[in-house]
Amino acid sequence: MQGQEMRDSDGVFTQFYEALRLPDYFGWNWNALRDCLRDLHWLSARHFLITIDDADAVLSESPEEREILFRALNDAAKSWAGQPELPGQEKTTFQAVLLGPPDVQEEMRRELQA
């Protein structure tokens, strides 16, 4: 996904909607995004890797919403990691990679740990 296109919440929702082919019932709000990231049943993949280029641009003027997005990604990764392994089924994995300058990556890491 393109961080430059995610400067506001509408841009974030659009990037996720298009990249993950979110269902038509997606509610275009933070709770709906969080719910969809923890489900993804409409996709047949077993491994999900979300990459966001220019992550320093994502919601750069809205630190509160930026924290909501990063928490949603972190919570989704934890949720998928906590799913039980079922016999005969490959475990689903979910990872998010935020690409940006090293100083910004460290700032994002601190935001997630707070």
Side-chain angles (χ1 to χ4, degrees), residues 63 66-68 70-71 104-114:
R66 185 180 195 166
E67 184 177 334
I68 293 169
F70 293 164
R71 289 254 176 246
V104 174
Q105 288 180 352
E106 182 57 34
E107 176 187 339
M108 288 184 268
R109 193 176 350 236
R110 280 193 306 270
E111 285 180 20
L112 283 173
Q113 292 174 347

Side-chain angles (χ1 to χ4, degrees), residues 24-97:
D24 290 337
Y25 59 79
F26 174 62
W28 297 87
N29 61 60
W30 293 114
N31 287 332
L33 180 61
R34 183 182 307 267
D35 290 345
C36 285
L37 292 175
R38 290 179 170 186
D39 186 348
L40 301 173
H41 73 274
W42 58 92
L43 298 173
S44 60
R46 302 300 299 169
H47 306 286
F48 298 95
L49 176 62
I50 305 293
T51 58
I52 302 175
D53 291 328
D54 301 316
D56 53 317
V58 175
L59 298 164
S60 56
E61 296 181 19
S62 181
E64 303 83 25
E65 287 188 303
R66 185 180 195 166
E67 184 177 334
I68 293 169
L69 171 61
F70 293 164
R71 289 254 176 246
L73 291 169
N74 193 40
D75 290 349
K78 287 179 180 178
S79 177
W80 285 107
Q83 296 290 322
E85 277 193 59
L86 300 174
Q89 279 191 357
E90 188 176 0
K91 185 168 176 72
T92 300
T93 61
F94 180 96
Q95 295 175 306
V97 177

